[in-house]
Structure formats: C-alpha cells, structure tokens
Amino acid sequence: MVDDPNSTPRPTGTAPEPGTAPGDQPSGVVALVRLAVVLVDREGRIAQWSRAAEELFGHRAEAVHDRPAAGLLPAAEPRSVPGQAGPGTTGRRRDTFTTLAELTSDGAAWAGQLPVVDREEHLRDVLWWAYPLAGPAGRLLALAADARPLRTAGPRLALGERLLPFAAAAGALGGFHRLSAALGAAGRPVPGTLAAVLPGAAERRGPLLAALARGGLPALRLDPSTVLPLHPADPAAGTAHAAAGIGRRYPTAQQRTARLGPPAPPEQSAPGRRPAAAPPTAPLPAQREAAAAPAAADRTARSDRPGVDLTTGGVPAPPRGGTTIEQTTVGPSANGHRLHPGDPAAPTAPTAPAAPVAPVAPVAPVAPITVPGPAAAAPPGPSAGRFGPFLTNGHAGEQLALLNEVGGKVGTTLDLGFTAHELCRVLVPRVADFACVDLVDGLISDSELPAARPDDDTMLRRVALARNESAGQWDHVLAEGSLVAMPRRTPPGMALQLNQPVLVPVVTRDVAVDYAAALGGPELVPVVSGRSMLVVPLSARGTVLGILKLLRLPDRDPFDEGDAATLKELAARAALSLDNARLHRAESRVATTLQRSMIPTRPPQIPGVQIAHRYLPGDSRAEVGGDWFDAIQLPGSRVALVVGDVMGHGLHSAAAMGRFRTAMQTLAALDLPPGQLLRHLDNLAHKLGDDHLATCLYAVYDPINRTCELASAGHVPPVLVHPDGTGELLEIPAGAPIGVGGVPFVAKTIDVTDGSMLVLCTDGLVEVRGGDIGAGLAALCGNLIDPRQSPEEACDVVLDRLHSDDRKDDVALLVARFDGVAPSEVATWDLTVDQREVGRARALVREQLAAWHLESIGDTVVLLVSELVTNAVRVARDRVQLQLIRVDKLLVEVSDDNHNLPSLEPAEQLGETGRGLTLVTKLAERWGTARKAVGKVVWFELPL
C-alpha cells in the first residue's frame, strides 16, 4: 500500500472510545508503523485477522477465521552456532501463537522479535507486541510489524496532533539495525488511532483497551536511549471512496474502431527522447511531428473525424478533457524499444521520398514488419541476405534480442517469486523505468484454479518490482507483499479482466484520479500524472495469473502499440514460467502438507518424561521424506518412543511412512510388548507390498518402575546419556528391517536412572558421506549432551554439531529425558473378584486422597472409582487392580483380566444399571479404555 499514514484527527464532537481520552493524539514525536492485528479467542481459534496481517503473513482472513491458531504460523527460532558470535542458521520451528502464549503466561505483556515463516514459506523478521487477555474477550491479542523495512529505511515519524509525516534520518539516530520492539509505561490511555485498529465494535473494545493500558502501549526502541510511542499507519483509511462518482469512460476496441473508421496510411517519423522540459500533458511525439509536417497537417485538416490523428495510423489523439486509455489488440511491431538518433543501431532517415518497400517475414502472425529503403534501390521481392542487418541490428533485431534475453534469464528456477523478480530486472531500465508483477492472490494460495474470472473484488498481491532509482522518486508504489484490488475503471483492472494489454500513452489528470484512488489516495494524482503506462496480462494455459505493469517517466518516449505487441509476446513467455513455478509449488505444498500431517508438530505432555523432536528433510525444496518419530502415551503413565526410516525418498516414501505410523499407533494401543509389536508390523508390511521396507526402533519407558524395554528392526542403535554426562551406545539385537520377514525381533529391558536422556535418531544424522556410521555414533556418545540441558536444547546441540546442509538424507531426532514418578505419588492396590471389594476400594481411595490433601475432589473420585470397580468385578475372572497417580493431574486406572472393552451406550437405552461410563463422561476431564497384554484398563483424569 502507499505509505501514507492516517493523519486525520478525530472529528470534533466525536466521543472517545472507552479506555481513551479526549485529545489523546500525541503532542510529541511518534512512530507510524503498519500494524497487523491478530486476536485469539478463548478456545485458541483466530477471532480477528486484519488486512495488514494478510499482507504480512500471506494468509487470507476468510481462510484463517475460526481456525486453530496453533500450527498456523510457524516461528523460526535463531539457533546459535558454537564458536561464533551471534545467531547462526535458522533453528527449529515452533508455533508462533503458542510461543507468544507461553511468553505471556505470567499475565504480563511481552514485546520483542520473533521471526516467522509466512504462507509462502519465506522467513520474515517480525516485531511483536503480545497482550494476554482474560474473560470472554479472548486469550491473546497480538500486534505485529515487518521489521525489515523498519531496519532498512527507518520508521515514519509524526509530529504534532495532526500526525504530519516526516522521514527519520538514520545518521541522526545511529542507524536502524538495532531497532526493536518495546512497551511503554503502563496505565496510559490508549490513543484513538490505536483503538481504531482493534477488532470489534467500539463499545466492546473495553477489555482490549484495558489490556493495552495495563501491559504498556506498543513502542519502538531506536537505540538504548530513544524510545518512540507507536501509532498505526493505515494507508487505506479515508481513500476508498475517492473515485466514487467520477464516471470515467474508456472506449473498447470496437467503439474506437467505429468512431475512427478505416485508418489512413501512417507517416514515417523519427523517434526520439522527449525533451526534459516538456510538460506531462504535452502532445505525443507523433502528434508534434504531424503538426510540423505540411502534408500531414493538410491530411489532418481534410479529416472530418475530430480527435483522430491520421499520421499515427488511425490512433486517436487525446480528446478534450483527458487521455483515452488504449486497449491494445494483438498487433506486433518492428520495434518494441526506440532507437534514438545517434545510437549505433539506429537507421538514418531517408533523404528522398520513401519508395515502395519490400515486406520482411512477420515476427508475429498479425502484421508484417516493413523496412524503409532508398527509392532507386527497391528490389521487387524479399532477399534474406539483404535484410540480414535489419534483423540483427535494427528494430526487429532489438525485439528478437529482448525476447531471447527473456528466454534465457526468466524462469531459471521453479521459485515463483524469483521468476517474477527476473522478469522485472530484464525490463528495468532497458524498457521501462518501473516494472512490477501483481498476481491473483487466490491463485497463489489455492491449489485449484479459480472458477470465476477476475472482477473488481479480485485481490492482487505484489510479488516483485524493479525501479530505476536514478530516474525518479518511487515512494508512492506498493511494496512487495502488498494486497490491492484494481477495479475495471483503472488500466490494471481492465487488463486483468479483459485479458488484453492496456496502453495509456500519457496518464492525464482525469485518468490519474481513478488510478490514484485504487493505489491508496487522491494525493497521488500529481505523482502518477504525466507518466506513460502499459499493463500486460500474464496469462498461461487459459488462466489469467496476474498483470505486468510498466511505467515510463515523462522524459522518455511514451509506450506505443509496437511496445505493447512486443511486450505481450514477452509476457506470454514469462507467464508460462510463472505458471510452471506455481504448479511446482502446488505439488511441493501437497507433499509438505502430507508430510506434516503424518509427523507430530508438538511433543505430548506425559508425566515423568520430557520429550523433544526435530525433523529435517533431505530435500529442502520438497520437504518430504520417509523418516518419522512418535511418542504415544500408554496406560500406567508409560510412554512408547518410536523412530523409523522408510527406505527411499519423495512422496512414495512419505505415503509408506504414513501407513507405518498409523499401524504403529494402532498396535501400540493394544499395549503389546515391543518384540510382538514389530512382528505384527512386519506382517502388515508384507500385506501392503514388497516395496514397503523400513527400519524402526520401539522403546517403552515405565516412569514408575524406571525401566525401558527396547526392540529394533535393523535401526540405528540409541544412545543413553547418564546423569553424569557419559554416553552409552545401547547394544540391543538389531533384527531385520520391517518388510524382510523371517527374522525374530528380540526385546531388551534396561534400568534407567532419573535424569537420564535417551537419544533416538535415523541414519541421516550419524551417517557421514564417505565415512563409517560408527564415527557419527561415536560423536553422539561423546560428551555432546549435558544432562542438565532440556531436551529442546539437547536437540539443537546435536543438530549443530552433527548435521550439515550438504547431506541429502532425511533426519529424524527424538530426545527423551527420564524424570520418573516418585513412589510417594503412586498408590496401587490389588483387589479380589468380590463385590465387597467395591466398598474397600472407596475407603482406600478416600484415605489416599486425604494423605495427598485432595479432599476437595474426594467425592467425585470416590464415585467414579466405585462405578469402574463395580464393572471390573462383574467381568473379571481372576484379578482387579486399582492405581492412583498424582502428577500435574490425578490419573486413576482400573485394570482387569477381561479383554472386552466397555462401550458408552445412549442413556435412554440403559436400564437400572450400566450408567457408570455415563457418569465418567460427565464428571472426568478425560477418560478412555485400552487393551493390555492381558486384559484391559479403564482410566480417567481429573485436574488438580
């Protein structure tokens, strides 16, 4: 958007919002920043996603509204490289809004830098101001700003109550590279400009205003001694209605032809650069030459068609009251770029009257190229040798050279943004002083092509731009990533909706009014007036992808129909490259979505163990592979740790990995021993096909008994880091990969000490190209991990030391810290199969809860235990077990030796009995059933 902050003060008589004060506009210097506003509701879903958030992060508001905030916006945390000062390569990914919630979990607001990955998988440096909320207003209010333009050009400043814009001088402030987010003093009223960008009606913004005032208003710290209050700059405010009622009319090609009639033969004119002193509304060069030539003037005087200049081949002259926008048809030209007198390749104008000329083979299939020659030397027919110099050094040669350059320099990669930048760099300053590529935003975000044609509501996103910095000021242009809607009354909107080039030889004031209104405000009218504009649609395979817009300043010759024909051919070739990049990105997005849906994004919170994991794809472009990891909670607070590696790469391996992971979770729910589980998985692989081969490591940790049982299917052995920091490579039977068959899987049980860490990984981490896998395992067993570190920190250390960017294999890493559950926090009783044991169970539970000082939930727990023990005693054959575990919640488990799982039945179908599970469903926070090696377990949880 145009960088034009809202400088309009609150109208007189307007009541301030709650939480603001009359006259609360600043009297000193403030920073004007484009602020993105995101509101997360109490359920963790997106309740508000502002227009600025769309521009900054790429996600459309309608696509993210009411969507869970977790997983929407990955946050890339900088990872420090050992031995270097400062941040290193991009570190692990976390969820942005989860991280902001954790940073504000103490109830205090937070401000700082948190890089994120936007919808296009681009890393963005973002400044954040996060405010925790309470009550129905929501859970989190987040304000965000793009740090890159702030640190490169500095913030816009405003002085006084009218918020007049000024530019910050970097030299005076010592540079902006240290600019950071900050919070102002708490308790100050919220300015009206800031309150206006908050979501909801004015009367409902009270909780949000209170949170801002309580946490401190957003601010920018320019250096250790300079902190500026921050006000939102909304460039679109007050300008959307600027074009209403103007009623401009731009004729179509049919209307123009009917008005002009058949064109007269064109008059040869010598092209040249417009003098610098010419005003922006001066006539076109062809019109000036026509006025100077007597023959042309005579023909013009004989014409009875007003507003038509016959010397230009039937092109209408600007009518009184404004310039006509030309919708150019597919007419090729001999030269899309002017050669000025004195240039080496410029042909000299003939001194004798031009004789009939020989036609040259047409460059495009509509109109041929004609080349002027001496009258006495005109041959009767074409000659390849005669016209060779013109095809290589003349107008046609320059056209062919430009098209050839586009073919060689545009589309060198399959990156959509990079391809658009290549196109702009080829055209500036050779063809135009400014070039930009605006693509349909829905086409970029959606995997399917839009069914409807572009209209006035179609949103365009600026993907790339290039400008001739020495040719003029370009502060008014939209920045890359901006969203804009171009209605049909503007030249870009006409080109987009009609899928035809639109030529504006000179932008006069009446055309500039419409165009400036679409850009952001009427104050841009004098800026865009006088320039020459050519807008060419980017169309490929029957779909309009966007537009290519070109501008020339008044000191250059304006665009003509020859330029339009050449650049339409150029745009058609570039559009194919852009569409290829779009299709490649759509395929990569499908593969990435598939991969991420099969791999857990956040480690589970399981009592007695801390878990962290990482996944790095071998192909950074596709981000898809066959490695996976998992952590599955089992009955008795146990946890199953899984790491696997499907042989191969790409989508095929990812699909096989998804099958294996689903099967692993299903088998783990049966609580099978590790050896038996791998045997069942191997049998399943044979049913799926011979191409399903994978290595796998399955470990079950018991935090109560402090044991770990492991079984391997040809996988890399794990490393156990003891509390003293020494690493031990566990020797367990290797077995054969899943899918081979005929090889037993033998499990091994080890005792683990509290504070130990178990490191499980795939061979992509420890396998060194040209070396032995033992070297990587030896490094992993060294003093690489400090047991005092958290699993998250341990993952970062391992990847920093062992992983390199040149490795082509996927990496899956899982680190688990075993903390155990203290014996005092566990109570277990064995009950006999007797109805009298139900009363004994109630007494034991009430006594244990009193010892733990949990009398407040005693009645609920006793009631639910009574129901579950009654059901167990009815179906059990030999034994019933009752277990209570107190961690961050109360976990109650009732086990018996009957393998039939109970099911929840509708209440209306039940008689006098069978309502136990209905009570559990209503009163417990979570509950479930699972099979064990012998029998089953029914469990429920209650918060403490």
Side-chain angles (χ1 to χ4, degrees):
M1 283 275 170
V2 181
D3 188 9
D4 179 37
N6 180 13
S7 59
T8 305
R10 185 167 53 232
T12 305
T14 302
E17 296 187 27
T20 64
D24 56 4
Q25 300 289 358
S27 59
V29 179
V30 299
L32 299 177
V33 176
R34 183 77 165 142
L35 272 183
V37 181
V38 179
L39 178 63
V40 181
D41 64 16
R42 298 177 61 185
E43 287 74 26
R45 296 180 177 272
I46 298 297
Q48 177 68 21
W49 190 269
S50 69
R51 175 70 173 271
E54 292 183 344
E55 298 179 358
L56 181 58
F57 305 123
H59 297 281
R60 299 298 300 274
E62 57 267 22
V64 302
H65 181 70
D66 204 33
R67 172 179 170 180
L72 174 63
L73 202 62
E77 297 185 355
R79 189 172 67 228
S80 301
V81 177
Q84 296 182 5
T89 58
T90 302
R92 59 191 174 91
R93 287 188 176 186
R94 296 191 63 191
D95 180 69
T96 297
F97 297 109
T98 301
T99 302
L100 294 177
E102 293 175 354
L103 292 171
T104 58
S105 59
D106 58 352
W110 177 85
Q113 173 184 346
L114 183 62
V116 303
V117 180
D118 64 9
R119 185 192 65 185
E120 307 303 324
E121 295 296 323
H122 296 157
L123 184 65
R124 284 189 173 270
D125 193 6
V126 180
L127 300 179
W128 292 89
W129 295 266
Y131 298 87
L133 303 176
R139 177 183 298 178
L140 179 71
L141 173 65
L143 309 179
D146 193 349
R148 184 176 63 87
L150 293 176
R151 288 176 176 162
T152 54
R156 298 296 300 272
L157 304 182
L159 180 64
E161 294 185 356
R162 291 186 59 82
L163 301 182
L164 300 178
F166 291 87
L173 300 174
F176 303 109
H177 62 279
R178 293 185 297 176
L179 184 145
S180 61
L183 293 173
R188 294 185 178 180
V190 179
T193 55
L194 182 57
V197 302
L198 298 179
E203 61 273 9
R204 298 183 180 180
R205 295 176 184 162
L208 305 182
L209 297 174
L212 288 173
R214 182 173 58 253
L217 301 182
L220 284 180
R221 184 180 302 277
L222 303 186
D223 56 41
S225 60
T226 306
V227 177
L228 293 181
L230 187 149
H231 279 231
D234 187 1
T239 62
H241 61 280
I246 296 179
R248 302 289 181 260
R249 181 176 181 271
Y250 304 128
T252 64
Q254 292 80 5
Q255 292 170 336
R256 189 171 60 251
T257 302
R259 186 178 61 190
L260 299 181
E267 189 78 13
Q268 180 65 31
S269 60
R273 181 171 287 274
R274 178 179 297 182
T281 58
L284 301 181
Q287 295 168 334
R288 295 199 303 270
E289 293 164 8
D298 181 64
R299 282 194 299 273
T300 306
R302 289 196 301 267
S303 174
D304 59 352
R305 294 187 296 270
V308 179
D309 186 356
L310 299 182
T311 65
T312 62
V315 177
R320 294 180 182 180
T323 299
T324 299
I325 294 181
E326 301 288 350
Q327 180 192 337
T328 305
T329 58
V330 190
S333 172
N335 181 16
H337 323 282
R338 286 179 172 77
L339 298 176
H340 304 287
D343 293 346
T348 306
T351 57
V357 297
V360 180
V363 177
V366 178
I369 299 175
T370 58
V371 182
S383 171
R386 174 179 179 80
F387 296 104
F390 291 104
L391 293 176
T392 56
N393 297 326
H395 293 20
E398 185 180 354
Q399 179 191 36
L400 293 176
L402 178 62
L403 294 176
N404 182 65
E405 185 175 356
V406 170
K409 293 185 177 180
V410 177
T412 58
T413 68
L414 289 175
D415 182 87
L416 186 65
F418 191 79
T419 301
H421 281 93
E422 289 177 330
L423 176 60
C424 293
R425 287 195 294 265
V426 167
L427 298 176
V428 177
R430 180 175 179 175
V431 177
D433 295 312
F434 173 83
C436 68
V437 173
D438 298 338
L439 300 182
V440 177
D441 186 63
L443 189 66
I444 299 175
S445 59
D446 300 334
S447 57
E448 297 182 358
L449 297 177
R453 294 180 60 86
D455 53 24
D456 288 358
D457 296 327
T458 300
M459 299 301 298
L460 297 175
R461 183 175 293 275
R462 178 140 304 170
V463 181
L465 63 87
R467 53 196 178 190
N468 188 359
E469 298 291 352
S470 61
Q473 299 296 325
W474 304 98
D475 295 338
H476 69 285
V477 301
L478 300 177
E480 291 182 8
S482 301
L483 284 172
V484 63
M486 286 292 176
R488 187 165 180 169
R489 62 177 178 268
T490 64
M494 183 182 296
L496 179 70
Q497 298 184 33
L498 298 182
N499 193 19
Q500 289 290 338
V502 174
L503 170 64
V504 186
V506 176
V507 179
T508 53
R509 183 173 182 83
D510 58 343
V511 177
V513 169
D514 287 339
Y515 183 50
L519 283 179
E523 65 276 1
L524 298 177
V525 171
V527 180
V528 299
S529 298
R531 306 191 180 194
S532 181
M533 180 190 303
L534 177 60
V535 187
V536 187
L538 295 170
S539 178
R541 301 179 177 97
T543 301
V544 180
L545 307 179
I547 55 174
L548 168 65
K549 185 173 67 178
L550 303 170
L551 294 175
R552 284 181 181 173
L553 294 177
D555 64 337
R556 295 183 66 170
D557 288 337
F559 291 108
D560 57 19
E561 292 191 358
D563 297 325
T566 302
L567 291 169
K568 181 174 182 178
E569 174 65 21
L570 181 149
R573 300 186 182 188
L576 285 176
S577 298
L578 290 170
D579 196 45
N580 290 337
R582 180 190 66 83
L583 293 174
H584 173 74
R585 185 173 59 174
E587 293 178 359
S588 299
R589 184 172 296 172
V590 170
T592 303
T593 303
L594 175 65
Q595 179 81 33
R596 292 179 178 174
S597 65
M598 297 177 179
I599 293 180
T601 57
R602 299 179 61 187
Q605 304 294 325
I606 301 177
V609 60
Q610 302 178 39
I611 301 172
H613 48 63
R614 299 286 186 274
Y615 172 76
L616 298 178
D619 186 355
S620 58
R621 294 173 299 177
E623 293 194 11
V624 62
D627 292 12
W628 89 92
F629 52 82
D630 219 335
I632 308 168
Q633 187 169 5
L634 301 177
S637 291
R638 293 174 302 144
V639 57
L641 305 175
V642 187
V643 168
D645 183 2
V646 177
M647 296 184 181
H649 301 280
L651 274 176
H652 179 76
S653 297
M657 177 268 291
R659 294 191 181 111
F660 279 130
R661 181 170 180 252
T662 303
M664 182 74 73
Q665 290 180 328
T666 303
L667 294 173
L670 301 178
D671 200 11
L672 299 176
Q676 293 184 25
L677 185 142
L678 294 181
R679 169 53 56 203
H680 285 287
L681 192 64
D682 183 70
N683 294 336
L684 177 63
H686 283 283
K687 296 179 182 179
L688 294 176
D690 297 337
D691 54 349
H692 285 65
L693 295 176
T695 63
C696 182
L697 180 66
Y698 185 79
V700 176
Y701 170 64
D702 187 341
I704 298 176
N705 298 321
R706 289 164 175 76
T707 60
C708 185
E709 186 178 8
L710 307 98
S712 175
H715 197 78
V716 177
V719 173
L720 181 64
V721 181
H722 295 281
D724 59 359
T726 59
E728 175 188 358
L729 187 66
L730 298 180
E731 297 181 359
I732 57 178
I738 299 296
V740 173
V743 179
F745 300 100
V746 181
K748 180 180 180 179
T749 302
I750 62 173
D751 296 328
V752 292
T753 308
D754 291 350
S756 302
M757 282 190 178
L758 186 66
V759 181
L760 299 85
C761 66
T762 55
D763 56 0
L765 180 64
V766 295
E767 192 173 36
V768 181
R769 182 179 301 176
D772 190 278
I773 193 173
L777 290 174
L780 195 60
C781 291
N783 295 327
L784 191 62
I785 299 178
D786 187 350
R788 294 171 296 181
Q789 296 174 331
S790 67
E792 297 282 352
E793 295 170 339
C795 285
D796 290 338
V797 171
V798 171
L799 291 178
D800 285 334
R801 300 286 182 87
L802 298 183
H803 184 260
S804 58
D805 294 334
D806 60 345
R807 298 194 179 186
K808 302 302 181 183
D809 198 4
D810 303 339
V811 172
L813 174 65
L814 188 147
V815 176
R817 178 188 178 93
F818 299 147
D819 295 329
V821 176
S824 59
E825 306 299 318
V826 180
T828 306
W829 301 281
D830 291 326
L831 306 176
T832 62
V833 183
D834 191 338
Q835 288 292 341
R836 290 173 296 182
E837 291 288 90
V838 177
R840 175 170 172 259
R842 288 196 292 263
L844 293 173
V845 168
R846 192 175 295 277
E847 180 181 354
Q848 185 61 51
L849 293 179
W852 284 342
H853 304 290
L854 298 178
E855 295 89 346
S856 59
I857 61 174
D859 293 339
T860 302
V861 176
V862 169
L863 174 62
L864 299 183
V865 166
S866 177
E867 295 293 337
L868 295 184
V869 172
T870 300
N871 293 341
V873 169
R874 286 177 180 176
V875 299
R877 292 179 303 222
D878 184 47
R879 67 180 187 86
V880 175
Q881 186 182 71
L882 172 63
Q883 186 176 65
L884 273 63
I885 304 174
R886 184 183 67 165
V887 281
D888 55 343
K889 54 187 173 258
L890 181 65
L891 174 62
V892 179
E893 296 181 349
V894 177
S895 306
D896 61 70
D897 54 5
N898 187 298
H899 67 279
N900 294 320
L901 298 179
S903 60
L904 183 63
E905 300 292 341
E908 57 272 11
Q909 298 181 7
L910 299 176
E912 296 299 327
T913 60
R915 302 180 182 272
L917 289 183
T918 303
L919 291 174
V920 174
T921 302
K922 299 296 184 181
L923 299 179
E925 184 179 55
R926 293 176 61 238
W927 76 278
T929 63
R931 283 193 172 93
K932 303 177 66 174
V934 177
K936 67 174 180 296
V937 60
V938 182
W939 57 269
F940 67 85
E941 293 178 356
L942 288 174
L944 298 181

